[in-house]
Amino acid sequence: MAASAAVRSSMGLTLRLSRVIPVCSTCPLYRLNICGNSAASLQRRGSFDSIRTINRHLQTSIGLYQIEEGSSNAEDPDDYVVNIVYIDRSGQRIPVKAKVGDNVLYLAHKHGIDLEGACEASLACSTCQVYVSDAHFDKLPEPVEREDDMLDMAPMLQENSRLGCQIILTPELDGMELTLPKVTRNFYVDGHVPKPH
Amino acid sequence: MTGHKLMFKGLKLWSSGRATWINRVHEGVIVRGSGKAFFASCNPKICVVGSGPAGFYTAQHLIKARQDAEVDIYERLPVPFGLVRFGVAPDHPEVKNVINTFTQTAKQSRCSFYGNVNVGKDVSIEELQQAYHAVVLSYGAEGNRTMGVPGEQLAGVYSAQNFVGWYNGLPSCQELNPDLSCETAVILGQGNVALDIARILLSPVDILKKTDITQPTLEALERSQIRNVLIIGRRGPLQIACTIKELREMVNLPDTRPEMVAADFNGVAEALKDVPRPRKRLTELMLKTALDTPGEKEQERRNKASRSWGFRFFRSPVEVLGDPDSMRVVGIRLAVNRLEGEGEGARAVLTGEVEDVKCGLVISSIGYKSVPIDPSVPFDSRKAIVPNNMGRVQHVSGLYCSGWLKTGPTGVIATTMNNSFDTARSLVEDIDSGTLDVSISKPGSQSISALLEKRGVKPVSFSDWEKIDNAEMKKGEASGKPREKLLSVEEMLRVVQT
């Protein structure tokens, strides 16, 4: 149920962002008749004759779906909203209203937070390392072995470190705070251990 | 007649004055009514030397932190990306995804790429400093530490750097032609580079065929007789420098079996209790591989394997042994060590014993090393870095450094990223505080381009690189590879000129 709602809202987002006329026949939501988008109902009713009609309906639904900064989407039920906070490298708190299913790395990019993802979420680097608030750390599923392997190479690894590209938001993560590691300004402490490469 | 001349002179002066005024407005100097000039700050023009991860991450951060900064990246080769292209192993393509981030940076309007420009030869650091408000040195570590033992010059002995450059298509390493017709290869050093090389030597060629490894390497590997690779370290298992991902790849390498010396691991399990997580997980995997009796399936797999690899600990090279007639390596003499102290700081101490190992290929993978670029730049030859304080080069204003040149040649992409952001932060701080004077306008690439043209140097732009990129990808399609790298600067420049 939550999954289909998540897909529904992400489809809405895709439509908003791409502004295209959706081809509904291949979409599982359409087939199961649970798609709320008016373009779909138009296609089902066979009113597909006029592209202009579709566009007009899309425009309307886009208007309906319009998200203002910081306000919740009128169409999405509150269960699917997950509020989290990013704390960036300068210590600034950035609250973000996100949704179930959002990926922490791409969500950060969407909100202009400078969380790097060098390998593009393929578990081949550690640049998206974040520190997870203690209250939520245990609510995350166990990391797969490859994530642990990558974390082992991360500078300034902590007990509550995770890779942002592997965190998918669920309702119980509401209130989670993700801190970006501060760039340490001191590279020459005594006893500096050469890092592997 | 004289009157005429005077008039002309006056006209000229007036028009040149006006032109100067217009120029100065463009540069941000606003001349008020009384004629007094009010200096706004000019667009900071910054030059980055080196287009690897350090260069690009520094540029990225500078462009983001200051909306008026213009960054020019200079690179010796016609192609960008440094070790991401020439160092990362061909079978680690996901690590190369960072190229997409760098491409985005290069395509920003305030960033320009100038490839095929050898800083230090085609243009001096001093000339760059005159043309730009700040120069950031990010040219990495192109040299290597040598073993410093007799026999190092024999045929069949290579530095890891050259070997990796060879299989990754670095133009200057294409004449290497290593002889892989021996049975045993010995690698000195146990870092990730050593493991990469072991893996490339032992991987089934069918796997490597689908990567961007070079064609000559594939042909050499197909003919290779190497069946056993020893990866040798001065100290013990608890000091090994590689990381768990690379170790796992060796353990899981198809058609190979691990062969370790159990005695090397005495006391290791007990010492693990208080060790930090990364070291602990790595050591546990090593212990399991070296000491545990494998399950039935794994035992069968090992029995069937045609190739083997293993770590050897507590050994330092003292001499490379050669055949006097062929001048080729036939073995290596190793001193046996014992450890003094514990943990990361433990030291290897000679015991006086030596051991000879028969082999036909010796690769020393004991560390990269930066080299000085220009006599005007301070260089610490002991540490092989440019002496600096948080990226600010000591005693030279307007000069910065980032990446391995700044901290020494260790670290993964994330480390270099932090390191580069740190230097960029120092630079921006200096602009904001006025320590770096950006009130005088600087010509930037305009004057450097003119200099280069006079010297017959043709810089390669980023869109020129994209031509090379497309040519390589197209060539790779024919053999099912992501790309077939062009292996010489001449070939690259030829593509650029079409």
Side-chain angles (χ1 to χ4, degrees):
Chain A
M1 187 56 183
S4 65
V7 177
R8 206 180 305 146
S9 54
S10 83
M11 268 304 287
L13 179 64
T14 310
L15 291 174
R16 277 197 296 279
L17 292 180
S18 55
R19 300 200 169 225
V20 295
I21 297 166
V23 175
C24 299
S25 49
T26 53
C27 174
L29 292 180
Y30 176 81
R31 284 162 159 191
L32 296 169
N33 207 2
I34 51 174
C35 174
N37 192 292
S38 50
S41 55
L42 271 179
Q43 292 186 33
R44 204 181 287 283
R45 275 186 279 132
S47 312
F48 203 78
D49 42 270
S50 166
I51 301 285
R52 235 173 288 128
T53 318
I54 296 280
N55 252 334
R56 197 160 33 86
H57 281 273
L58 257 183
Q59 302 272 21
T60 320
S61 55
I62 282 168
L64 268 178
Y65 278 79
Q66 204 73 44
I67 288 184
E68 281 109 45
E69 273 302 324
S71 74
S72 79
N73 189 311
E75 290 292 317
D76 290 334
D78 281 329
D79 328 357
Y80 308 118
V81 170
V82 180
N83 293 298
I84 63 170
V85 178
Y86 287 91
I87 300 166
D88 75 11
R89 295 183 211 277
S90 58
Q92 198 193 356
R93 291 175 65 85
I94 302 156
V96 165
K97 204 156 216 105
K99 282 193 257 339
V100 171
D102 278 345
N103 175 299
V104 156
L105 174 63
Y106 295 127
L107 183 68
H109 289 172
K110 206 172 98 181
H111 290 263
I113 294 156
D114 63 346
L115 186 59
E116 287 292 323
C119 75
E120 299 176 352
S122 45
L123 285 176
C125 79
S126 54
T127 56
C128 67
Q129 182 195 187
V130 289
Y131 304 136
V132 181
S133 42
D134 293 332
H136 303 89
F137 183 72
D138 294 318
K139 300 203 174 119
L140 296 172
E142 282 290 306
V144 296
E145 194 175 68
R146 280 178 69 197
E147 181 182 346
D148 271 334
D149 287 354
M150 287 302 111
L151 277 171
D152 282 357
M153 292 203 244
M156 295 170 294
L157 183 69
Q158 285 178 185
E159 288 287 335
N160 60 340
S161 287
R162 289 295 302 261
L163 294 183
C165 68
Q166 300 301 299
I167 302 177
I168 307 294
L169 294 182
T170 58
E172 64 210 337
L173 295 177
D174 192 82
M176 178 168 67
E177 300 199 345
L178 300 167
T179 309
L180 273 59
K182 277 195 182 26
V183 174
T184 180
R185 303 228 70 188
N186 192 346
F187 285 94
Y188 302 107
V189 286
D190 283 295
H192 170 245
V193 177
K195 292 181 190 59
H197 64 285
Chain B
M1 183 76 164
T2 333
H4 244 250
K5 256 200 180 151
L6 270 174
M7 232 176 69
F8 257 124
K9 231 177 147 190
L11 256 177
K12 224 174 152 196
L13 267 175
W14 174 82
S15 52
S16 77
R18 200 160 174 261
T20 315
W21 174 80
I22 288 172
N23 263 334
R24 277 148 65 104
V25 163
H26 281 317
E27 312 273 68
V29 176
I30 302 150
V31 180
R32 308 257 159 145
S34 63
K36 285 212 190 98
F38 169 73
F39 286 91
S41 74
C42 311
N43 285 354
K45 291 209 169 95
I46 303 159
C47 159
V48 172
V49 179
S51 70
F56 267 106
Y57 272 131
T58 309
Q60 178 186 318
H61 196 88
L62 287 170
I63 289 177
K64 190 160 176 226
R66 286 210 54 124
Q67 298 304 306
D68 55 355
E70 292 168 28
V71 181
D72 292 339
I73 304 176
Y74 289 83
E75 162 60 51
R76 181 172 55 197
L77 288 168
V79 297
F81 309 134
L83 282 178
V84 179
R85 176 178 164 105
F86 294 116
V88 173
D91 54 354
H92 287 168
E94 320 80 18
V95 179
K96 303 193 198 200
N97 284 347
V98 72
I99 284 178
N100 296 335
T101 310
F102 299 158
T103 299
Q104 264 189 338
T105 301
K107 289 176 124 144
Q108 298 256 347
S109 58
R110 291 181 285 122
C111 183
S112 301
F113 173 76
Y114 295 92
N116 196 37
V117 178
N118 188 333
V119 173
K121 184 166 148 276
D122 296 335
V123 60
S124 72
I125 294 287
E126 237 180 279
E127 285 165 337
L128 289 175
Q129 283 185 287
Q130 277 164 18
Y132 291 92
H133 292 109
V135 174
V136 183
L137 302 173
S138 321
Y139 62 82
E142 67 195 60
N144 54 268
R145 294 175 60 200
T146 50
M147 291 188 281
V149 302
E152 202 163 358
Q153 321 305 327
L154 287 166
V157 182
Y158 306 103
S159 71
Q161 188 159 40
N162 285 341
F163 199 80
V164 171
W166 170 67
Y167 67 62
N168 269 337
L170 186 60
S172 57
C173 297
Q174 291 314 297
E175 308 298 307
L176 210 74
N177 293 323
D179 185 343
L180 306 179
S181 61
C182 53
E183 195 191 300
T184 301
V186 158
I187 305 176
L188 285 321
Q190 297 173 325
N192 285 341
V193 178
L195 265 65
D196 275 355
I197 292 173
R199 197 178 68 248
I200 296 293
L201 284 175
L202 294 176
S203 280
V205 178
D206 284 334
I207 296 178
L208 295 176
K209 265 195 177 120
K210 297 299 171 195
T211 69
D212 63 7
I213 200 168
T214 67
Q215 194 52 35
T217 309
L218 276 176
E219 288 164 13
L221 289 174
E222 268 165 349
R223 295 188 302 260
S224 162
Q225 305 286 315
I226 295 176
R227 294 291 171 265
N228 181 28
V229 176
L230 296 175
I231 308 167
I232 300 183
R234 289 175 305 130
R235 299 185 292 172
L238 285 167
Q239 288 76 37
I240 203 172
C242 66
T243 53
I244 197 169
K245 169 172 175 251
E246 281 72 12
L247 177 59
R248 233 187 262 290
E249 287 172 322
M250 287 309 295
V251 170
N252 297 331
L253 198 55
D255 194 31
T256 66
R257 68 174 170 277
E259 280 176 354
M260 314 270 204
V261 174
D264 282 348
F265 295 88
N266 288 342
V268 169
E270 294 73 33
L272 276 186
K273 270 188 302 309
D274 298 308
V275 147
R277 185 189 106 152
R279 176 62 69 190
K280 192 165 180 192
R281 291 180 76 237
L282 172 64
T283 313
E284 283 170 349
L285 178 58
M286 247 195 302
L287 284 169
K288 180 162 167 244
T289 309
L291 302 178
D292 284 6
T293 318
E296 212 183 296
K297 236 174 90 184
E298 170 65 11
Q299 187 60 64
E300 212 190 301
R301 190 193 75 84
R302 291 189 188 184
N303 292 342
K304 284 212 282 233
S306 66
R307 299 171 173 193
S308 61
W309 66 277
F311 293 129
R312 293 292 179 271
F313 295 100
F314 312 107
R315 301 288 186 274
S316 295
V318 290
E319 189 179 343
V320 180
L321 308 167
D323 177 280
D325 299 315
S326 66
M327 294 299 279
R328 294 203 59 86
V329 57
V330 294
I332 186 163
R333 180 155 293 158
L334 304 167
V336 178
N337 300 326
R338 61 177 174 78
L339 276 192
E340 257 179 26
E342 278 175 5
E344 315 287 334
R347 295 176 321 124
V349 173
L350 293 170
T351 59
E353 270 182 67
V354 288
E355 187 182 272
D356 285 357
V357 172
K358 192 160 153 235
C359 62
L361 180 69
V362 170
I363 300 182
S364 76
S365 182
I366 56 178
Y368 287 52
K369 205 161 83 159
S370 292
V371 298
I373 192 173
D374 191 296
S376 66
V377 177
F379 192 78
D380 179 337
S381 16
R382 194 179 61 83
K383 290 198 206 144
I385 57 170
V386 170
N388 69 93
N389 189 359
M390 295 197 288
R392 299 176 175 97
V393 175
Q394 276 179 11
H395 312 309
V396 186
S397 112
L399 196 60
Y400 300 80
C401 57
S402 68
W404 283 1
L405 186 61
K406 170 183 172 189
T407 56
T410 58
V412 291
I413 293 264
T415 333
T416 301
M417 179 186 83
N418 286 344
N419 166 330
S420 307
F421 285 177
D422 185 56
T423 295
R425 265 228 307 256
S426 293
L427 211 168
V428 170
E429 265 172 26
D430 289 351
I431 296 178
D432 290 342
S433 70
T435 311
L436 195 62
D437 186 4
V438 297
S439 63
I440 330 151
S441 85
K442 293 266 189 167
S445 58
Q446 270 188 327
S447 64
I448 300 296
S449 296
L451 261 177
L452 292 173
E453 203 182 322
K454 246 191 349 204
R455 295 170 183 172
V457 177
K458 287 203 177 73
V460 168
S461 71
F462 201 75
S463 50
D464 288 335
W465 143 248
E466 288 178 313
K467 277 193 199 161
I468 299 173
D469 192 23
N470 289 333
E472 290 184 340
M473 290 193 286
K474 193 146 176 265
K475 221 172 151 202
E477 266 173 34
S479 29
K481 295 163 84 173
R483 71 178 59 240
E484 189 62 62
K485 287 180 182 167
L486 300 182
L487 300 177
S488 71
V489 170
E490 291 71 38
E491 264 185 277
M492 295 173 185
L493 293 177
R494 217 176 302 137
V495 166
V496 166
Q497 271 138 32
T498 53

